[in-house]
Each structure stands twice: as C-alpha cells, then as structure tokens.
Amino acid sequence: MNQAFRESYEHELALRVEEEKRREIEDKIAELKKKLDERRFTANKLIASSKKLRKLAQKLFKTYPRLEEIKRFDGIHEIDGLKVEVNSRRGEIKINVDEETLTLKTDESLMKQISSLFDDAKKSMEAAERLLKEAKEIESMIEKLSKREAEELEEILLKVSAKLKPPAKRWYERYRWFTTSEGFLAVAGKDASSNISLLKKHLEPNDLVFHAEVRGAAAVILKDGLKAGEKSKVEAAQFAATYSRAWREKISRITVYYVTADQISFKPPPGHYLPRGGFIVKGERNYITVRLELAIGLTRDLELIYGPSQALAGRAIRMVKIVPGKRKSTELAEEAVKILTENMSFDRSSLNLLKERIIELIPYGSGELVKI
C-alpha cells in the first residue's frame, strides 16, 4: 500500500521538481535571450553609427578644400547640403548632420580630423562584429540548453526515483502497528493465531503487553514499554480496545489491562486446558479505561499511518477519525479518501488502493466518521 503511495508521491514530487528544473532552465534561457537582445541592439546601433560616420567622412573628404577656405570666415555656410557654422573665436567648425552636430577644430589639421572619422567608423564596425559574434555564441548556448532540457529533466527524475525507493519490509509490518506520540512502537496481532505468533516471536523483557478482556481482542506489545510514559500506555490500550469485539458491539469505552513480559505464559496450570490462540497472565494486572477510536492519516511523504488520534497528531498532514458506529466501511473509506487526498494528485489506481487499505483497517467493517 505504502509502495503505491510512494509511487504516487514520486509522481507528484517529480512533477514539482520537473517544474522547478524547467523554470530554472527557462530563467537561464530568458537571461541569455536578454543578453542576446542587448548585444544585437548595441551592434545594430554601432553598425548604423559606423555607416553614418563613414558616409559623413566621405562627404567631408570631398568638401575638404571648401572647408579649408571658409574656416577663417565666421558665420553659417552651406556646403554641399551641409550646414556649417564657423566660430574663429572658439576655433571651431560645427557641422549639423541629421540633427546631430560634429565639431572640428580650426587649429588642427582638418584632413587628419576627417580621417579620424574613418577610423571611428572602422572601430564601431569592429565592435559591432564582436557583439554579433557573441550573439551567435549566445544563440548556440540557448539552442543547446533547450535541447538538453529534456535530458536534464529525465536525469533529475531518475534521481528522485532513486531517493524514493521504499525501505525493506520490517518485521512488524505483517501485524497492525503504530508509533506512539512518545516514539514507542506498538504492535498488535490481527487474530488469535497472529496474537500468539507476535507474543512468542517478538515479546522481550522490557516490553509491556496490553489486552482487553473481550473475546477476540488483539494482543498489543508496547516495545520498550517499561520506559514508556503514561501517554504511550493509554495509546497502546486504545489500540487494543479498538481491535476488539467491543467495537462491533458499538461500545465507546472499555477497560484494558497491561502486564510485563514475564507475566505472560503459554503453559496452562496442571489440569487446565489452554485454548488455541490463548495465553496465561500471571500476577497482578494494571487497568486503563479508554475510548475506542481509530485515526487514519497521511504523512508528508504520503505514508499511510493509523492508530489513536494523539499518536498521529504530530505526524499526519491529513487525518480522519473513526469511532464505533453503523456506517459500512466502504462508505467510510470513500469519504475518508476524499478528505485525505483533497487537492492532491493521485491516479485512480492509488485512490482505489487507499480505499481498500482503509476498509481493511476499520474494525469489524463499520463505524462513524467524526470531526477532528
């Protein structure tokens, strides 16, 4: 069951990781495109400037003799369509070209200054060519990044899958079990046969055993129970009460006893008969009166957990609580699935598995959902 949910979780997480990776790649591409646009824009400006300078330089080169003639005469002159203003006091010749002004110095060689315009035009064109080369390289980077996107996403999904491989099955998973709010493991038999199997194979000196004095009740081992606090003992007692016939009889509270491991025996006194699936309790018993309830929830990694509500409270992100009642387990499971998986992405197969598992967990096939 939890394997199916890990697969669903893996799918959901993979989609999330894929989206994050895609955003990361798209951000890189957007950044590169911005650089590409900047370089193209600047290159185009430089090309336009270079052409303009070259054209102007060529025109000034043709009008050079006339410029030499007028540079000593202040005022505005018209030369070959150019508006030329001479200011001898400042030693300047201002030439208006396409709403821009070019200034030449009268005390310097005009030919040298005109020639420098050709040099500037050449430098601008070379700078533009460098930028266009960079733009081409950026285009190539964008293309490669786009092509690698699918491969990188596939790689990240494989890493996610590897991390989410389920652990090997633990011994107590063949029984009913939960972890108490104090972190102790509580394990219950599913029937008379598994009760005995559980006690004979897994009962250790530091454990406590819980049992309701009701026919067909589950035996519950609280591992390291001698170290457990009152909360864990109450929760283990609730677990034992829940999986007893008291649930079928719709009893809301019963008394459960607990004893130490050395009080459990599988040998009847002389002259007595021990029924199949039975065990003997020696010495005094400790009693706890508890409510019958079963909480079912999902953890953050979508592991299905169940047990007393107090035990699930700190671990479950979604939880439902069931008490003895008349509604069929199929109806309860259907409603529980809707509550537990609301706004989550699960395929139909996983939802069906969850429903089946919840049906298995509900004692004696009936109960009532209560608000938490």
Side-chain angles (χ1 to χ4, degrees):
M1 176 60 217
N2 286 337
Q3 165 65 2
F5 267 86
R6 283 190 178 92
E7 289 174 357
S8 291
Y9 175 61
E10 177 179 334
H11 174 70
E12 187 174 327
L13 181 59
L15 289 177
R16 213 157 51 229
V17 172
E18 181 183 9
E19 181 60 28
E20 289 173 3
K21 188 64 179 176
R22 181 175 283 110
R23 277 202 302 270
E24 182 184 336
I25 292 173
E26 286 174 353
D27 288 346
K28 286 181 181 177
I29 290 174
E31 186 180 345
L32 288 172
K33 282 183 176 178
K34 184 180 177 183
K35 290 180 179 178
L36 177 64
D37 291 341
E38 287 173 352
R39 278 157 178 74
R40 281 178 172 169
F41 178 76
T42 305
N44 288 333
K45 280 186 70 176
L46 287 169
I47 290 170
S49 175
S50 175
K51 288 179 178 179
K52 191 174 180 180
L53 280 172
R54 182 173 290 278
K55 186 177 179 181
L56 176 61
Q58 288 171 343
K59 198 165 192 178
L60 291 177
F61 186 76
K62 289 179 182 178
T63 60
Y64 164 70
R66 183 77 178 112
L67 289 172
E68 282 288 355
E69 289 177 9
I70 67 166
K71 73 178 184 179
R72 292 184 296 275
F73 301 98
D74 288 352
I76 298 174
H77 308 270
E78 188 81 23
I79 302 175
D80 199 13
L82 297 175
K83 184 180 177 182
V84 181
E85 182 181 353
V86 179
N87 189 324
S88 58
R89 186 171 60 84
R90 292 183 180 177
E92 293 178 345
I93 298 176
K94 290 186 176 181
I95 304 169
N96 292 323
V97 184
D98 297 333
E99 298 181 355
E100 291 184 12
T101 302
L102 172 69
T103 302
L104 300 177
K105 298 291 184 181
T106 58
D107 59 351
E108 294 179 14
S109 167
L110 293 181
M111 180 56 72
K112 187 176 181 180
Q113 292 178 73
I114 292 170
S115 297
S116 71
L117 293 178
F118 284 106
D119 293 336
D120 291 342
K122 183 181 178 182
K123 288 176 183 177
S124 292
M125 187 59 73
E126 288 173 349
E129 287 172 355
R130 284 196 300 272
L131 287 172
L132 289 174
K133 185 180 179 182
E134 287 179 19
K136 194 171 182 180
E137 290 171 356
I138 291 171
E139 271 187 309
S140 177
M141 289 169 65
I142 291 172
E143 187 179 347
K144 287 178 182 177
L145 196 57
S146 298
K147 285 182 179 179
R148 278 170 40 207
E149 182 175 359
E151 295 174 4
E152 289 189 16
L153 291 177
E154 184 178 354
E155 184 181 348
I156 198 73
L157 294 186
L158 288 173
K159 288 179 181 177
V160 170
S161 299
K163 288 179 182 178
L164 291 174
K165 284 182 180 177
K169 193 168 184 177
R170 296 157 292 195
W171 68 266
Y172 48 83
E173 289 181 347
R174 70 188 65 177
Y175 305 99
R176 293 191 178 103
W177 64 277
F178 76 97
T179 303
T180 72
S181 56
E182 296 175 323
F184 291 88
L185 175 65
V187 188
K190 292 183 176 180
D191 51 34
S193 176
S194 65
N195 276 348
I196 297 304
S197 170
L198 173 66
L199 293 173
K200 284 185 174 181
K201 291 181 180 179
H202 302 291
L203 184 61
E204 296 176 306
N206 287 332
D207 299 341
L208 294 178
V209 176
F210 292 75
H211 194 250
E213 292 178 326
V214 179
R215 186 175 177 81
V220 175
I221 294 178
L222 182 61
K223 301 300 291 180
D224 275 335
L226 291 178
K227 300 176 183 177
E230 196 62 28
K231 284 184 180 179
S232 294
K233 292 174 184 176
V234 169
E235 290 162 10
Q238 279 187 292
F239 205 53
T242 294
Y243 287 106
S244 75
R245 288 192 185 178
W247 186 284
R248 187 183 68 179
E249 301 304 320
K250 301 176 182 60
I251 299 171
S252 61
R253 298 174 72 89
I254 65 168
T255 298
V256 174
Y257 70 82
Y258 70 90
V259 294
T260 57
D262 59 2
Q263 290 180 257
I264 300 295
S265 173
F266 302 101
K267 294 180 180 180
H272 289 76
Y273 168 73
L274 187 64
R276 183 175 177 273
F279 55 90
I280 302 293
V281 177
K282 301 177 291 183
E284 293 186 7
R285 307 180 184 193
N286 303 282
Y287 290 92
I288 304 176
T289 300
V290 292
R291 296 189 317 275
L292 276 67
E293 66 166 45
L294 177 68
I296 299 172
L298 292 177
T299 64
R300 289 190 181 280
D301 63 358
L302 300 188
E303 180 184 2
L304 183 70
I305 56 175
Y306 61 100
S309 57
Q310 300 95 320
L312 271 62
R315 299 172 59 211
I317 57 170
R318 300 273 179 86
M319 183 168 66
V320 296
K321 187 162 73 172
I322 303 172
V323 296
K326 296 180 180 179
R327 290 182 65 190
K328 291 182 179 179
S329 58
T330 50
E331 295 176 18
L332 296 173
E334 189 80 39
E335 188 175 344
V337 167
K338 288 180 181 177
I339 295 170
L340 293 175
T341 62
E342 186 179 6
N343 298 324
M344 291 185 177
S345 299
F346 290 107
D347 56 37
R348 187 176 297 277
S349 174
S350 293
L351 292 175
N352 287 336
L353 282 169
L354 176 58
K355 181 181 174 181
E356 290 171 11
R357 180 63 172 136
I358 291 174
I359 290 172
E360 290 174 7
L361 293 175
I362 297 172
Y364 294 93
S366 66
E368 293 288 343
L369 270 176
V370 295
K371 290 184 178 180
I372 298 177

